[in-house]
Amino acid sequence: MAQLVVRNLDDDVKAKLRHRAAAHGYGMEEEVRAIVRAAVNAETVRKAGPGTRIAAHFAGIGLRDDEEIPELRGFAPNPATFD
């Protein structure tokens, strides 16, 4: 496995890291590994864009590929009137 050395880390960052590691029941090294692992994995998982989410929401609603819109013949147009 590879090693990584981080220099010039602020004292307050180191203290917060130590506190976070203790809260998770880890040593500082394991906590840093978990943070780096999560950061790299989050980068590779992309959220779908809004268009993709909207399309997924309405998937299966509406006309099927082989279905046509029926024509309405024999009905007089009924335009809306606004007073």
Side-chain angles (χ1 to χ4, degrees), residues 2-28:
Q3 292 184 4
L4 176 67
V5 177
V6 179
R7 293 186 174 90
N8 301 324
L9 192 63
D10 294 335
D11 290 335
D12 62 326
V13 172
K14 182 180 175 185
K16 288 177 184 177
L17 182 60
R18 180 176 285 131
H19 178 74
R20 181 176 167 153
H24 291 134
Y26 297 148
M28 283 182 52

Side-chain angles (χ1 to χ4, degrees), residues 14-79:
K14 182 180 175 185
K16 288 177 184 177
L17 182 60
R18 180 176 285 131
H19 178 74
R20 181 176 167 153
H24 291 134
Y26 297 148
M28 283 182 52
E29 271 190 47
E30 183 57 33
E31 184 67 18
V32 170
R33 281 192 288 270
I35 291 169
V36 171
R37 191 178 307 115
V40 170
N41 289 338
E43 200 173 85
T44 58
V45 177
R46 293 189 56 195
K47 287 187 176 182
T52 303
R53 292 194 311 267
I54 291 170
H57 181 76
F58 290 102
I61 297 175
L63 297 175
R64 294 183 303 272
D65 289 338
D66 60 342
E67 188 177 9
E68 293 183 16
I69 298 173
E71 289 189 40
L72 297 176
R73 295 181 184 257
F75 291 94
N78 187 11

